[in-house]
Amino acid sequence: MTTLTTTAAARAVAASKIYGTGDAEVRALDAIDVEFAAGAFTAIMGPSGSGKSTLLHVLAGLDTVTSGQVFIGDVDLSTLNEKQLTIVRRERLGFVFQAFNLVPTLDALENMTLPLALAGVKPDPEWLDTVVRTVGLSDRLRNRPNQLSGGQQQRVAVARALLARPEIVFADEPTGNLDSRSGTEVLSFMRRAVDDHGQTIIMVTHDASAAAYADRVVFLADGRIIDELVDPTAAAVFDRMKTLGD
Amino acid sequence: MWKVTLKGLLGHKVRFALTAIAVTLGVAFMAGTLVLTDTIKVIFDDLVTSVTRDTDAYVRSRDVIDTAFGEQRDRVDASVLGRVREIQGVREADGVLQFYAQIVGADGKTIGNPMGGAPTLGLIWNPGSLTAWRLVDGRGPTENDEVVIDRASAKAGKVEVGDTVSILSQQAPATFRVSGIATFGNADSAAGATAALFTTPTAQFLSGAVGRFDGIQVAGEDGISQRELVARITAGLADPAVQVITGERLTKENQDAFAQQLQFFNVALLAFALIALFVGSFIIFNTFSIIVAQRTREIGLLRAMGASRRQITLSVLAEAVAVGFLASLAGLLAGVGLAVGLKALLGAVGIDIPNGATQILPRTVIVGLGLGTGITVISALLPARRAARIAPIEALRAATTSTTKRLVVRAIMGVLITGAGVLALLFGLFGGGGVEAVGFGAFLIFLGVAVLLPVIARPVTRLIAWPLPRLRGTVGTLARENAARNPRRTASTAAALMIGVALVGFITIFASSIKASFASSIDQAFRSDYVIRTKGQGPPGLGGFSPALAREVAEVPGVEAASGIRFAGADIEGRATFLGAADPATATTLFDIEPRRGDLAGLGPTQIAVSTEKMRDEGWRLGQSLAIRFPRGPANLTIAATYGAGQRAGLFDFLISTEAYDLHYTERLDSQVFIKLEPDADRRVVTVRIQRVLRDYPNAELQDQEEFKASQTQQVDQVLNLIYALLALAVIIALIGIANTLGLSIIERTSELGLLRAVGMTRRQLRSVIRWEAVIIALLGTLLGMVIAGFLGWSLVHSLADQGLSTFRAPARELVVIMVFAAFAGVIAAIWPARRAAKIDILDAISYE
């Protein structure tokens, strides 16, 4: 185990998340052990209620585990208080959500630089330029979210997640609200971030073709990891999901 | 449908509670005022009745004149008393006098008249059954150097029967032996007034009414009606100079006179209660608007399921009725408590109100509930109509309908209403429209600016907050944009505060202008070295100094001249007005009233000096004769001189000599005594000598020019502080409004705030965003309030230029303090919303679906 800590960007050790008590008890995560390699694009899949979103939330410090441990790098998140968790999120992690990704009162550029601004850090101009160019929104930087299409909004969200050069980007159904063309744009962009810049990405999705962009797919059911695929294809993922009875 | 209404209410308890507070506070203030004044009125009616309970008839002079200081009646000759006593059917008759007499306690300090409250009365001790005074210790005065005092004064001055007290009156201070202590009915004092009761000759001497009475109280024999008694006395006296009225009418007149004073107090307080309710109406409007906006989907769904527009409107209005009624009911209860508390407070500052049952009249309940509920419903009308316009399709959209096209209409409306308000205000101030027109104009201005505000809120908000992004980075940007994102909401929230601030700022400017005008007229007119003034400031005609004081000071070695100045009411050429009186020979060396034409220093007993302004206004000429009615009878005085510093300069338009004054008035009290030292006199030595004279006059205070100025402005400050306290309620309600709006906005922005927290905004930063938003809204309201305050203050000051208000002054320091205070108040209003925002659960917020 100890040798692996150096290469894993994030890992969960016997992590459980239990909601309610007694008869109403729900085990969203049931003593999960999982590791996510640095510089890799990992997808988490599973049917509704499998605990995939909960896993993402506890890994990202948005939620706490009932028992067990969660590490970002060498830091045990369960030992941190609310403020320290906020700092970890701001400085070490990036986020892309399915919806409500952007602050409506800020323009695209301000949204991208938001975590840096909150930390009081100036963005690296070269890197900013690279990200903006890669996202392909150079001419829309001063537009507000309601002036952008859904795909453009998600690309801004991804750009925001990448701009702080976080150790890990967490993406929660980033293409769930997009048509397939926009979804492809966003996913290729994420793939490139991994290939070109060595970014670590952990993505929750229920879409097999989205999962196919990943290096590795982890399958969850009933709060447990039941399988995984390396270098998946859409068809392989789709087959595996069917057997899970989604 | 009603079920939906009820559910709506119960589902939003907190926001409705905040709305309700805005109504409750206003209603409580109003109900409290009504209950308090009703209670005081009943108590004082009882008191007034008890004074004249056994009086069946009252004989007084027929000569009465109207003056700037109110109605003034001549006295009757003392011989009338003997004639009345001989008339058949008269059982008992007493002469009465009421005059200024202040008791000095054992410690050498004056008793009574704290903060210019209740008067210090001198009276005749009448041992018969007609008086309300009852001895509780000792006996009545039988010698001319004996006095009976009220028990409250005896307690305050630690005086006992047999002690010697000094009495200040218009005669030189003199000592009296306390022969007895009396209560007024069962009360220690007559509603807080101090009383010194003397033998008839002493009272007549002390009041300058030798051989005269204010009137004569008469009790008839059993079986004779009051009317019958009045008829018999009128016939028996057969004197055209006297008037005989029934005891009932006397009681009624006294009650009416008191009710009139109380009415002023009542109206003033009710005005503040209405201001509070007006401010509250903005909060109600805002809450209902936001709730309707948040429920757009729900209402759309109801419409899709077949609810008619009417039903939707009624549903919203039913909520308003329920909230308004409950809030008014709470306000009513709080108001009764407030009245009881206020009465205790008045007692604590020396305005002693006797005990009596708290009066809750049906009118108070009806007005309180009706007005509170009515204002809530009226404020909810527009939001209800807006709710009814929601189309069924809205249920399916995340709707944010644009309102830009309505802004033009709004701008025109706002300008028109504001313009009408300005016209009404100016008509009230300059065109003789009176205080109602002024109030209505101010109301329209507030309303008009409130209507206009959403049009300009966005740019003005950005302007106010422009340094914020630079100072506070992203937190500042977010706060600024949040304040600007919903101009209508920001505007009506700021408008509520605007009203409070405008009134506070206006009254500040007005008070500063009064103070500056005082100061400049004192600087201009004050030529003496010192002035002696009374410590407590009573109403004119009550209190002052015996002319003996000026005489004694004038004899102090080193004093070149000392002269008293008096003010008195008179009817000049049919106008109720007032005049000043001074010694013309020394007057011009003591104060500069800018003599113009004629011989001011040689003003004789049949002459009068008039200000040049008055001369011009009336078209009078030097040498002309003026018909003047004094309390003691009419006289013609010739205009012998003119001077420049009249009422417009803060002084008086008519000046007569002390000699003339003494001919026409029996009440001779100097309001102030001006002193000039000899040029080579040692100030310190002379001051000590003057202070030695003042030892006999413990109500006197020696001041130099600067101290005099300070004490004049201090009085303005006292009134100012009182008004601040009354306006505080309106400001507090406005702050509740800010808290409420922010709280509701936060509910709307849950997912956005969750996102901010997820990407790394700390709770502290989030609270800061909310706080700054509150500060921006508060500053928006404050800035607009200041602009309106400046306009109101400027126009009022200019309209009063001929009343002696010569200087307009907007005090920069005070106005900046108000700004800072408003910003700080914004921070306080943001405490609850900020805490609420910080508590938002990130997971709930981002997994909203």
Side-chain angles (χ1 to χ4, degrees), chain B residues 269-476:
Chain B
L269 284 183
L270 284 181
F272 287 101
L274 283 177
I275 290 167
L277 280 172
F278 182 47
V279 171
S281 70
F282 282 84
I283 315 302
I284 301 162
F285 170 79
N286 221 11
T287 309
F288 275 92
S289 300
I290 296 173
I291 287 169
V292 165
Q294 290 182 353
R295 273 202 242 148
T296 299
R297 271 170 191 239
E298 181 190 324
I299 292 168
L301 191 64
L302 285 172
R303 294 273 287 123
M305 292 186 314
S308 72
R309 290 192 165 192
R310 220 177 113 79
Q311 279 174 314
I312 300 288
T313 308
L314 286 179
S315 160
V316 175
L317 288 184
E319 279 190 27
V321 170
V323 171
F325 185 79
L326 288 176
S328 305
L329 202 62
L332 208 55
L333 293 177
V336 176
L338 189 71
V340 174
L342 270 179
K343 192 163 158 267
L345 191 70
L346 287 176
V349 298
I351 303 170
D352 184 24
I353 299 169
N355 286 325
T358 301
Q359 300 290 317
I360 305 163
L361 303 187
R363 180 261 280 131
T364 307
V365 177
I366 293 167
V367 171
L369 291 182
L371 207 59
T373 312
I375 283 178
T376 312
V377 172
I378 290 171
S379 309
L381 269 180
L382 276 179
R385 270 191 47 203
R386 209 173 291 150
R389 278 205 302 265
I390 293 172
I393 190 75
E394 306 277 352
L396 311 171
R397 290 188 218 152
T400 40
T401 34
S402 164
T403 54
T404 33
K405 66 175 177 214
R406 302 184 65 84
L407 284 183
V408 178
V409 182
R410 186 176 266 280
I412 293 168
M413 288 265 293
V415 169
L416 284 180
I417 297 174
T418 310
V422 170
L423 286 180
L425 184 86
L426 294 180
F427 170 67
L429 290 176
F430 297 99
V435 69
E436 291 86 358
V438 175
F440 184 63
F443 169 76
L444 282 184
I445 290 174
F446 287 137
L447 204 62
V449 174
V451 169
L452 196 58
L453 200 47
V455 183
I456 57 167
R458 191 169 278 169
V460 175
T461 302
R462 293 232 169 90
L463 193 69
I464 290 172
W466 69 266
L468 213 45
R470 209 160 305 159
L471 289 174
R472 309 280 314 162
T474 306
V475 165

Side-chain angles (χ1 to χ4, degrees), chain B residues 453-763:
Chain B
L453 200 47
V455 183
I456 57 167
R458 191 169 278 169
V460 175
T461 302
R462 293 232 169 90
L463 193 69
I464 290 172
W466 69 266
L468 213 45
R470 209 160 305 159
L471 289 174
R472 309 280 314 162
T474 306
V475 165
T477 309
L478 283 169
R480 185 187 65 181
E481 294 309 315
N482 282 340
R485 79 200 279 183
N486 194 331
R488 205 192 273 186
R489 187 178 299 177
T490 298
S492 53
T493 308
L497 186 62
M498 168 189 85
I499 296 168
V501 169
L503 293 171
V504 168
F506 155 68
I507 217 73
T508 305
I509 290 173
F510 186 50
S512 291
S513 300
I514 291 177
K515 287 193 274 189
S517 302
F518 271 171
S520 82
S521 72
I522 290 171
D523 283 341
Q524 198 173 40
F526 207 96
R527 272 192 186 172
S528 46
D529 296 295
Y530 290 108
V531 64
I532 300 172
R533 59 184 292 279
T534 47
K535 279 174 184 161
Q537 195 75 16
L542 280 173
F545 309 111
S546 162
L549 174 59
R551 281 197 300 273
E552 284 180 53
V553 172
E555 279 161 19
V556 168
V559 170
E560 185 185 305
S563 179
I565 186 159
R566 302 175 195 171
F567 300 96
D571 174 322
I572 299 180
E573 292 281 323
R575 298 256 171 85
T577 179
F578 73 100
L579 47 75
D583 173 20
T586 52
T588 45
T589 64
L590 291 171
F591 32 82
D592 183 9
I593 59 170
E594 302 167 28
R596 292 284 155 79
R597 300 173 58 203
D599 180 13
L600 194 65
L603 207 62
T606 59
Q607 294 176 326
I608 187 167
V610 180
S611 75
T612 47
E613 287 147 18
K614 197 72 188 171
M615 293 290 278
R616 201 181 321 117
D617 291 350
E618 299 285 343
W620 291 336
R621 262 177 283 173
L622 209 61
Q624 188 175 338
S625 178
L626 296 181
I628 304 177
R629 294 181 67 204
F630 296 104
R632 296 190 69 183
N636 287 317
L637 299 188
T638 312
I639 303 175
T642 62
Y643 57 94
Q647 204 173 334
R648 205 165 297 185
L651 295 172
F652 35 80
D653 280 333
F654 301 98
L655 175 69
I656 60 174
S657 64
T658 315
E659 204 182 343
Y661 182 95
D662 287 350
L663 282 174
H664 298 293
Y665 295 91
T666 52
E667 198 164 71
R668 290 164 201 163
L669 286 164
D670 289 337
S671 291
Q672 286 143 10
V673 175
F674 290 84
I675 302 167
K676 192 166 179 71
L677 306 188
E678 284 165 0
D680 53 353
D682 182 333
R683 277 180 85 92
R684 273 179 312 153
V685 173
V686 181
T687 309
V688 170
R689 286 184 191 141
I690 295 172
Q691 293 287 11
R692 206 170 295 153
V693 172
L694 293 187
R695 231 178 276 163
D696 288 338
Y697 298 85
N699 62 335
E701 193 171 14
L702 185 70
Q703 295 181 326
D704 64 18
Q705 183 171 346
E706 285 310 310
E707 288 165 342
F708 183 56
K709 236 194 291 189
S711 67
Q712 297 284 316
T713 54
Q714 205 182 335
Q715 286 176 35
V716 177
D717 283 337
Q718 275 179 13
V719 178
L720 187 66
N721 287 334
L722 182 70
I723 296 177
Y724 279 161
L726 291 170
L727 283 176
L729 184 65
V731 175
I732 288 170
I733 291 177
L735 292 180
I736 291 175
I738 293 181
N740 199 17
T741 304
L742 285 178
L744 292 173
S745 298
I746 281 160
I747 296 170
E748 279 181 1
R749 297 180 201 152
T750 301
S751 54
E752 176 185 332
L753 298 178
L755 168 73
L756 284 168
R757 294 274 293 121
V759 300
M761 179 174 269
T762 59
R763 286 194 167 138

Side-chain angles (χ1 to χ4, degrees), chain A residues 19 57 62-63 82-83 86-87 89-90 95 97-106 110-111 114-115 117-119 144 160, chain B residues 462 474-475 477-478 480-482 485 751-752 755-765 841-843 845-849:
Chain A
Y19 296 106
H57 291 155
L62 293 168
D63 203 351
E82 158 58 34
K83 172 136 198 218
T86 303
I87 305 291
R89 286 200 300 272
R90 188 161 81 193
F95 293 93
F97 301 110
Q98 179 177 2
F100 306 119
N101 246 318
L102 304 180
V103 179
T105 47
L106 300 180
E110 285 169 331
N111 264 295
L114 182 61
L118 288 172
R144 294 223 174 163
R160 178 191 64 209
Chain B
R462 293 232 169 90
T474 306
V475 165
T477 309
L478 283 169
R480 185 187 65 181
E481 294 309 315
N482 282 340
R485 79 200 279 183
S751 54
E752 176 185 332
L755 168 73
L756 284 168
R757 294 274 293 121
V759 300
M761 179 174 269
T762 59
R763 286 194 167 138
R764 180 198 291 258
Q765 284 174 319
D841 188 315
I842 304 173
L843 283 182
I846 55 173
S847 43
Y848 220 43
E849 290 293 289

